[in-house]
Amino acid sequence: YSDLTDLNREDKSGVVSPRFQRNWEKEIKKAGITYGKQTSRGETQPAVVDGSSYQPMEVPPVQREGKKETKDKEPSLVLALAKTFGEVFVVAAVFKLIQDLLSFASPQILKLMINYTSDKTIAGWQGYFY
């Protein structure tokens, strides 16, 4: 593996995974779901032990907190992913838009250049714009 370059620090799984984990836990909390074991005092012990990874559990009990609603809100994986990687995708989308616009403009500029070279009545200074 000596021919491969190292990843940037912000792209390594040790950085990305905890960011996603925090966003996913926020989604779970918004949905009113707790995963973990009941303590003797009736509290739920979280499944996350060290803050960075889930510890395997035999059977994680699922509980909904708060009012009983007719329609339970489910945690959104898409929203958690968007919060984790959203700005990267926005920047990529901007660059893709610029690339698409330039690929559309290129033939138009070529058409103007051909018209300039074929028409001898156009002033010479207009050729510098192309």
Side-chain angles (χ1 to χ4, degrees):
Y1 299 107
S2 63
D3 61 337
L4 299 176
T5 59
D6 287 337
L7 287 174
N8 295 329
R9 183 186 180 291
E10 64 270 4
D11 295 333
K12 292 185 177 183
S13 63
V15 175
V16 173
S17 184
R19 281 180 35 211
F20 172 73
Q21 189 67 38
R22 280 191 305 272
N23 291 325
W24 179 240
E25 287 171 2
K26 287 178 188 176
E27 285 297 310
I28 289 174
K29 189 175 182 179
K30 276 196 319 189
I33 300 173
T34 57
Y35 291 92
K37 297 179 181 177
Q38 290 285 337
T39 62
S40 60
R41 291 189 276 174
E43 299 170 346
T44 303
Q45 179 183 3
V48 176
V49 175
D50 61 3
S52 65
S53 63
Y54 276 103
Q55 300 298 321
M57 297 173 57
E58 294 157 13
V59 179
V62 178
Q63 298 176 347
R64 296 236 180 229
E65 296 176 348
K67 295 185 240 176
K68 286 262 185 186
E69 297 179 6
T70 57
K71 182 179 174 187
D72 291 332
K73 181 180 179 193
E74 295 295 324
S76 172
L77 178 62
V78 173
L79 191 56
L81 287 170
K83 287 180 181 178
T84 304
F85 302 107
E87 55 193 51
V88 173
F89 284 112
V90 168
V91 169
V94 168
F95 282 126
K96 177 63 176 157
L97 178 66
I98 291 170
Q99 187 256 338
D100 288 345
L101 291 174
L102 289 176
S103 68
F104 174 75
S106 179
Q108 303 302 320
I109 294 171
L110 182 61
K111 177 183 169 188
L112 291 172
M113 291 172 64
I114 291 172
N115 286 340
Y116 170 74
T117 56
S118 62
D119 189 1
K120 302 294 182 194
T121 61
I122 298 177
W125 60 269
Q126 289 181 349
Y128 289 108
F129 288 116
Y130 308 128

